Amino acid sequence: MEGPLVGVGVFVKRNGKILVGLRKSALGRGTWALPGGRLEPGETPAQCGVREVLEETGLQVGPLRPLVFAHTVFRRPDIHYITLLFSGDSGEGPPQLLEPEKCEEWRWVNADEVPEPVFAPLSEALEEIRRRGMRL
């Protein structure tokens, strides 16, 4: 098993909605997830979140606020992730599909109406947010 690895996901917010994308990569293919990715050496989690959102969507986001973390063991492929979840408001403009090999589309949705199936780390994060009575 590989890991544990550190991932970062960002609840990009605008007008009461969050941005989710339909994954095409092997890990979670066909599930809806937040913009994000793997933490790089020397990078803070918040820097990673800002970078990943920009690389994937072209949106500026921030400042980021830490929310929760998710602990996920994927069986295929065998990978263990700790995902740090942040929240931040986005700038203007539509999200762009800048990594079409990884994401099929971006969609603004209400946090309680994320389309199924939901990527495991996002599902875990939403459950923890509900359990704690937190707001995005």
Side-chain angles (χ1 to χ4, degrees):
M1 176 177 294
E2 186 180 358
L5 303 170
V6 178
V8 173
V10 180
F11 286 94
V12 178
K13 302 181 304 174
R14 185 187 291 168
N15 300 324
K17 297 188 182 253
I18 63 169
L19 186 64
V20 295
L22 185 57
R23 293 180 65 91
K24 288 172 77 175
S25 58
L27 190 62
R29 179 179 286 121
T31 62
W32 291 89
L34 300 173
R38 193 181 297 183
L39 185 68
E40 293 183 357
E43 188 175 50
T44 69
Q47 289 169 335
C48 175
V50 169
R51 174 184 56 77
E52 288 286 353
V53 170
L54 184 61
E55 286 177 359
E56 294 177 8
T57 71
L59 296 174
Q60 297 284 340
V61 65
L64 295 186
R65 179 175 62 98
L67 286 177
V68 295
F69 72 89
H71 172 261
T72 313
V73 176
F74 295 95
R75 294 295 171 208
R76 288 192 185 133
D78 241 1
I79 299 177
H80 180 185
Y81 260 99
I82 303 297
T83 305
L84 309 174
L85 288 299
F86 290 82
S87 175
D89 295 320
S90 79
E92 295 299 315
Q96 301 170 53
L97 200 56
L98 298 178
E99 295 181 336
E101 70 283 0
K102 295 180 183 176
C103 182
E104 189 170 315
E105 71 173 282
W106 292 110
R107 187 183 297 178
W108 293 103
V109 300
N110 291 320
D112 56 353
E113 297 174 355
V114 176
E116 295 285 335
V118 179
F119 189 48
L122 174 55
S123 180
E124 292 171 30
L126 289 170
E127 181 59 34
E128 184 66 13
I129 288 166
R130 284 186 205 108
R131 189 182 70 74
R132 292 185 185 184
M134 298 171 72
R135 300 185 70 175
L136 292 175

